[in-house]
Amino acid sequence: MTYEEFADSRLSALLRYATMLTGDPHSAEDLVQETMVRVQLNWKRVQRSDSPDGYVRRMLTNQFIELRRGSWWRRVLLRAEPDPSVPVPSDHADRSAERDRVWSMLSGLPRRQRAALVLRYYEDLPDQEIADVLGCAVGTVRSSISRALATLRTELVEAR
């Protein structure tokens, strides 16, 4: 597979993943663009890996995590099935306010925890693949997700 073939087949999926990490489609485009430049420069190494897709996803995730704290990457959106016990907002303004509230809560999480949540609940990856992307142990992945969810639960209870 050539770099061009890889880019054609995976670019939209990488962009969706980056959008979930950053919470902003424009920031996601910048992140993917920078990652794909690095992929092209290192294409032989990427191509030799067991899973070029996983390798590139890891590059993108690492780049997101390593961004400086003061940058414009502050929000992320996780999409999940609606919980029937939670009242559904009745209009567009309510839905926008609820989405902003979720982004605000998620923006307070450390980048690794956000990345772990996106990989688990948006990309639907198993623990081992998340660990490979984040470059850590499976136990660390589980711990990160558990801590992130506990933080979110606490914030949700305090907000009510």
Side-chain angles (χ1 to χ4, degrees):
M1 174 182 295
T2 67
Y3 169 79
E4 290 78 14
E5 292 169 338
F6 177 83
D8 285 343
S9 67
R10 297 303 302 152
L11 197 57
S12 61
L14 290 170
L15 189 55
R16 284 191 306 270
Y17 173 57
T19 301
M20 298 309 293
L21 285 176
T22 63
D24 175 42
H26 304 294
S27 300
E29 288 172 359
D30 292 342
L31 178 63
V32 170
Q33 181 178 7
E34 180 66 27
T35 300
M36 292 307 288
V37 167
R38 291 178 185 205
V39 168
Q40 186 177 28
L41 293 173
N42 297 297
W43 179 244
K44 288 184 180 184
R45 184 181 318 144
V46 172
Q47 193 176 25
R48 284 192 308 261
S49 71
D50 293 335
S51 171
D53 185 46
Y55 193 96
V56 172
R57 188 183 294 130
R58 183 172 182 179
M59 288 175 72
L60 191 143
T61 303
N62 287 342
Q63 203 161 333
F64 169 74
I65 291 171
E66 292 170 4
L67 289 173
R68 293 184 319 196
R69 273 241 171 272
S71 70
W72 30 265
W73 304 67
R74 297 215 182 241
R75 301 188 305 181
V76 68
L77 169 66
L78 296 177
R79 295 182 183 150
E81 293 300 316
D83 183 352
S85 66
V86 176
V88 178
S90 59
D91 66 19
H92 178 70
D94 288 341
R95 286 191 301 273
S96 293
E98 184 65 20
R99 184 176 53 245
D100 288 346
R101 183 171 152 232
V102 169
W103 282 10
S104 175
M105 289 170 50
L106 291 171
S107 70
L109 294 175
R111 291 179 186 277
R112 275 195 179 274
Q113 289 181 7
R114 271 189 279 171
L117 286 177
V118 169
L119 290 166
R120 165 67 60 77
Y121 296 108
Y122 183 72
E123 292 286 320
D124 200 28
L125 294 181
D127 291 342
Q128 184 59 54
E129 288 184 42
I130 296 170
D132 292 343
V133 170
L134 295 178
C136 63
V138 172
T140 304
V141 168
R142 292 179 183 149
S143 173
S144 294
I145 290 171
S146 176
R147 287 183 181 141
L149 292 174
T151 301
L152 293 175
R153 269 188 226 103
T154 301
E155 288 181 22
L156 189 60
V157 168
E158 289 174 359
R160 288 184 179 184

